[in-house]
Amino acid sequence: MLTLTENASTIVKTLTDQAPEDDAGLRISSSNPENTAFAAAVAPTPEPADQVVESGGARLFLEPGAAVALDDKVLDAQVDEQGAVSFAIGALA
C-alpha cells in the first residue's frame, strides 16, 4: 500500500481541507499502467473502484491502475517559494 511522508500527509490534508466536502481526498490516477505519469486532483469522494489510503488525517483515492503501480512506493510532497505543490514518488526504504 502507498505510504505518505509526514510532509505529504500535511500538504494533502491542507489541499483537501479547502474542499467543501468533508470526505474529500486527493485522487491519483494513471491513464497508462506502463507509464509513470500520474494525475492528481482533489475529489469530493472516491470512485467505486478506488483504493482509499488514509494517513495522518490525509485521504488519498487511488484509481485501480495507480494503486497497483504505487503499491510499494512512498509519496512525498513539498511547496516551493511561489506556493506551488510538487509530489515525488520513491521506493520504500
Side-chain angles (χ1 to χ4, degrees), residues 1-2 12 14 22 25 37 50 54 57-59 65 67 73 78 88:
M1 181 180 293
L2 178 67
V12 169
T14 300
D22 290 339
D50 285 354
E54 297 192 35
R59 296 185 77 207
K73 304 290 188 274
Q78 62 184 29

Side-chain angles (χ1 to χ4, degrees), residues 75-86:
L75 180 70
D76 193 15
Q78 62 184 29
V79 179
D80 69 16
E81 302 83 34
Q82 290 79 34
V85 176
S86 62

Side-chain angles (χ1 to χ4, degrees), residues 20-75:
E21 301 82 11
D22 290 339
D23 294 333
L26 186 71
R27 186 167 195 268
I28 299 177
S29 59
S30 172
S31 59
N32 180 355
E34 302 301 315
N35 191 336
T36 57
F38 298 95
V42 174
T45 58
E47 295 293 321
D50 285 354
Q51 179 184 60
V52 178
V53 176
E54 297 192 35
S55 175
R59 296 185 77 207
L60 289 178
F61 309 144
L62 303 178
E63 173 268 332
V68 170
L70 299 173
D71 187 50
D72 60 346
K73 304 290 188 274
V74 62
L75 180 70

Side-chain angles (χ1 to χ4, degrees), residues 1-26:
M1 181 180 293
L2 178 67
T3 304
L4 281 73
T5 65
E6 187 174 333
N7 276 350
S9 292
T10 300
I11 290 170
V12 169
K13 185 167 178 357
T14 300
L15 290 172
T16 58
D17 280 352
Q18 297 172 18
E21 301 82 11
D22 290 339
D23 294 333
L26 186 71

